[in-house]
Amino acid sequence: MTKAGSRVIHNLFGGSGSWRSGDWTASDDRVRGGKSESHFESSGEIGRFYGDLDIETLGGAGFASQRTAGDDKTWDLSEYDGIQLDITKGDDKRYTLILKDELLPPNPTNGREQSTTSYEYAFHTKDLDLPTTVQIPWASFQPTYRGREQKDAKPLDKSRIKRLSLMMRSFFGTQKGPFSISLRSISAYSVAGLRDLEACSHNNANTRRWSTPLTLGFVTLLTVAAVHTLYKRWSR
């Protein structure tokens, strides 16, 4: 865990540690008959997600992604405010970061993974060797189910993140072909003082809820006393 200005950074991949290619595995549209492919390579300090997006085979659709390997991992990120991507090189294309807080066992009929809600955020990279930081607050992750918005989804359980994925998709045929994005780190971040400010606001709200009736009661007593005094004077 490191502190950068007003932010607290907890590196999940890269950063203060090294990237490992074995932490990631492919999840491409080949499971649906497509021909897209993705890869993940590391050079210690930098992790690179790259491949080729084919949209012809599936009629304009297609996706290539790398997800965290293994289903036994859980990240408790409830003390943080979101996810931060430190990008070292992009390619002027749009990517998607996906989080999951639930994984189901494979379908006993066909052995395929069963679908659960995904929480997604799409971001655009520039074709420059210029470091870029993308901060994604939890509220910016949109729940989807099988690629469609899920309006009645439960909130993301930040205390049990089970999987992270990086995805390249066609976005309705607007992009295809080779892609590549290099990252220095994927981290959880928190803004120093933000939670204290929220707690203070909550406490102030509680104080106002308690103090308002007391204040009104005190004013009422003063008013009654004043009226009583005036009545005594007038009745003499």
Side-chain angles (χ1 to χ4, degrees), residues 193-207 209:
L194 178 60
R195 293 180 180 272
D196 292 338
L197 180 61
E198 291 175 345
C200 181
S201 298
H202 178 71
N203 291 335
N204 287 341
N206 288 337
T207 301
R209 283 197 293 270

Side-chain angles (χ1 to χ4, degrees), residues 8-223:
V8 176
I9 306 298
H10 172 53
N11 297 133
L12 303 175
F13 300 95
S16 57
S18 297
W19 288 88
R20 296 190 304 173
S21 299
D23 288 338
W24 300 84
T25 186
S27 180
D28 304 327
D29 61 18
R30 292 171 179 266
V31 298
R32 301 181 184 176
K35 294 183 179 180
S36 299
E37 61 180 56
S38 69
H39 308 278
F40 195 94
E41 66 178 17
S42 66
S43 59
E45 294 183 353
I46 303 297
R48 179 178 173 233
F49 168 49
Y50 69 101
D52 187 83
L53 178 66
D54 169 68
I55 66 172
E56 305 299 332
T57 305
L58 297 179
F63 66 89
S65 70
Q66 289 280 319
R67 62 173 178 81
T68 48
D71 297 340
D72 57 344
K73 298 177 181 178
T74 301
W75 290 272
D76 182 356
L77 305 180
S78 56
E79 294 300 315
Y80 297 89
D81 298 313
I83 297 294
Q84 176 172 304
L85 306 177
D86 289 306
I87 303 169
T88 59
K89 181 174 175 56
D91 57 0
D92 198 29
K93 290 187 176 180
R94 194 178 180 193
Y95 292 81
T96 304
L97 176 67
I98 303 173
L99 306 180
K100 280 184 175 289
D101 62 8
E102 180 184 18
L103 300 177
L104 296 176
N107 187 312
T109 303
N110 54 28
R112 293 181 180 178
E113 181 176 301
Q114 299 187 71
S115 299
T116 58
T117 300
S118 296
Y119 298 84
E120 305 184 356
Y121 179 82
F123 60 96
H124 187 268
T125 64
K126 296 182 179 180
D127 189 11
L128 296 171
D129 287 316
L130 183 66
T132 303
T133 297
V134 179
Q135 282 194 344
I136 314 166
W138 297 127
S140 295
F141 285 92
Q142 300 299 314
T144 65
Y145 183 76
R146 293 184 175 179
R148 296 185 178 182
E149 182 181 2
Q150 190 178 8
K151 294 183 178 180
D152 60 346
K154 62 179 179 59
L156 172 67
D157 186 349
K158 298 177 285 293
S159 68
R160 45 174 289 115
I161 304 299
K162 301 293 293 182
R163 177 181 293 171
L164 291 83
S165 302
L166 289 168
M167 177 177 284
M168 163 58 62
R169 53 163 56 115
S170 68
F171 285 105
F172 303 102
T174 59
Q175 54 186 17
K176 62 181 180 179
F179 63 88
S180 175
I181 179 175
S182 298
L183 303 104
R184 185 172 300 281
S185 65
I186 299 177
S187 310
Y189 78 91
S190 63
V191 180
L194 178 60
R195 293 180 180 272
D196 292 338
L197 180 61
E198 291 175 345
C200 181
S201 298
H202 178 71
N203 291 335
N204 287 341
N206 288 337
T207 301
R208 286 194 297 272
R209 283 197 293 270
W210 281 102
S211 63
T212 299
L214 292 174
T215 302
L216 290 175
F218 182 67
V219 171
T220 301
L221 287 174
L222 289 177
T223 303

